[in-house]
């Protein structure tokens, strides 16, 4: 195992039903993550035969330390992720959506962000479809980036930058193991979707003094936003009556506007740079 990969959080990927998106996710994960990183593909009886073949082929070739499990029958997205997180026994975990494509260096930057501030409970990277963490415009779904490596280099110009979020977002999120253990894990009984259960968990973290932050130096792309299950928003409103107003205020005020602008400026400066770094730059 690579020493770099061994020191990073576990990456938990809940496997979905979109086979093409899963294929793209695994390719991006392998290309943009340190060799030896621990990865768990957890399937709540969702993947069909083609997805199973994609996973088997990827497991046979990946540089990562990867494992795959599949339940015999589904128990629901939130309950399944909670079960997987509990199995990680208090370790720091990054949950990556099964249709998300992380840009190079994403995991190291999320881990570094959390390491700099022990008060961080969750850290969320930018995303083209990340609602409060969306870039280039808040709460809008932009096309998938056509040069993720170049975008990752632009994000690197914001190294060390964080900003408070009202809650983590489900495209990719670092979860501190200590905070998760103290909060009691996800509430898979009250919420069916990962998105709603993550909001609830984030608000419980905040109530215990942990921060939910944007990690401005990392980017994870996704073709669509996560969606709550039927009844989940009503359940959130009952448990957290101020949540919807707080979210609406954040979206209207957009306190990350200046940070988005700085990333846009960094991207603009790199428009003439090649999409991929010069592999032979150091060769005399």
């Amino acid at each position: 195992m690579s020493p770099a990969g061994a020191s990073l959080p576990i990456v938990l990927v809940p496997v979905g039903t979109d086979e093409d998106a899963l294929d793209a996710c695994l390719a991006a994960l392998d290309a943009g993550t340190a060799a030896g990183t621990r990865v768990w593909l957890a399937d709540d009886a969702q993947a069909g035969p083609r997805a199973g073949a994609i996973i088997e082929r990827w497991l046979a070739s990946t540089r990562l330390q990867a494992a795959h499990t599949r339940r015999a029958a589904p128990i629901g997205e939130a309950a399944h992720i909670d079960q997987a997180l509990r199995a990680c026994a208090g370790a720091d975990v990054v949950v990556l959506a099964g249709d998300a494509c992380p840009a190079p260096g994403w995991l190291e930057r999320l881990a570094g962000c959390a390491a700099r501030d022990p008060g961080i409970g969750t850290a969320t990277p930018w995303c083209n479809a990340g609602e409060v963490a969306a870039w280039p415009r808040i709460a809008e779904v932009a096309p998938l980036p056509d040069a993720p490596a170049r975008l990752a280099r632009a994000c690197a110009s914001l190294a060390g930058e964080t900003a408070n979020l009202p809650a983590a977002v489900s495209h990719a999120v670092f979860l501190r193991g200590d905070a998760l253990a103290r909060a009691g894990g996800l509430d898979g009984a009250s919420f069916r979707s990962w998105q709603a259960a993550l909001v609830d968990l984030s608000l419980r973290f905040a109530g215990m003094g942990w921060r939910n932050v944007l990690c401005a130096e990392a980017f994870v792309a996704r073709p669509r936003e996560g969606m709550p299950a039927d009844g989940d928003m009503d359940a959130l409103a009952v448990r957290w009556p101020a949540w919807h107003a707080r979210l609406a205020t954040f979206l209207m005020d957009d306190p990350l506007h200046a940070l988005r602008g700085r990333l846009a400026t960094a991207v603009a400066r790199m428009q003439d740079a090649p999409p991929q770094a010069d592999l032979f730059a150091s060769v005399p």
Side-chain angles (χ1 to χ4, degrees):
M1 182 191 302
S2 162
S7 64
L8 291 170
I10 299 168
V11 178
L12 173 64
V13 183
V15 175
T17 58
D18 188 329
E19 297 152 343
D20 292 335
L22 175 64
D23 198 12
C25 171
L26 296 180
L29 181 61
D30 203 44
T33 311
T37 297
R38 296 162 295 173
V39 177
W40 180 3
L41 308 182
D43 183 358
D44 186 32
Q46 299 297 302
R50 179 169 175 256
I54 289 170
I55 291 171
E56 287 183 14
R57 184 172 65 248
W58 182 79
L59 289 172
S61 62
T62 182
R63 307 170 303 116
L64 309 178
Q65 185 186 350
H68 170 228
T69 59
R70 175 182 169 86
R71 289 188 54 84
I75 58 173
E77 185 179 46
H80 182 234
I81 293 176
D82 178 57
Q83 186 180 75
L85 291 172
R86 291 180 187 278
C88 292
D92 294 341
V93 178
V94 172
V95 182
L96 176 70
D99 60 355
C101 292
W106 71 291
L107 188 61
E108 292 91 340
R109 293 174 186 177
L110 280 173
C113 171
R116 286 189 293 269
D117 181 355
I120 289 174
T122 72
T124 301
W126 293 113
C127 183
N128 60 296
E131 194 178 44
V132 295
W135 184 88
R137 291 170 297 277
I138 192 170
E140 292 187 19
V141 178
L144 292 169
D146 57 3
R150 185 165 58 199
L151 179 55
R153 294 199 299 273
C155 287
S157 69
L158 303 177
E161 295 273 8
T162 62
N164 289 330
L165 295 176
V169 191
S170 61
H171 56 280
V173 58
F174 169 93
L175 299 174
R176 191 176 298 279
D178 288 348
L180 191 62
R182 294 182 190 180
L186 289 182
D187 185 352
S190 301
F191 304 99
R192 293 170 52 205
S193 67
W194 163 231
Q195 177 175 319
L198 179 59
V199 171
D200 172 69
L201 180 67
S202 300
L203 295 176
R204 284 188 281 130
F205 276 11
M208 298 172 68
W210 303 92
R211 297 175 64 208
N212 301 295
V213 304
L214 171 78
C215 174
E217 61 193 277
F219 197 100
V220 171
R222 195 178 189 186
R224 63 188 70 84
E225 288 183 335
M227 296 296 293
D230 290 344
D232 275 357
M233 291 298 98
D234 291 337
L236 274 176
V238 169
R239 179 170 293 178
W240 305 100
W243 163 245
H244 292 294
R246 181 182 177 189
L247 176 61
T249 298
F250 190 95
L251 293 173
M252 288 186 294
D253 293 346
D254 190 9
L256 306 185
H257 179 76
L259 201 52
R260 284 188 177 85
R262 288 172 56 195
L263 180 53
T265 299
V267 169
R269 288 186 184 130
M270 294 185 179
Q271 287 304 311
D272 295 330
Q276 184 172 351
D278 185 355
L279 298 178
F280 304 100
S282 61
V283 178

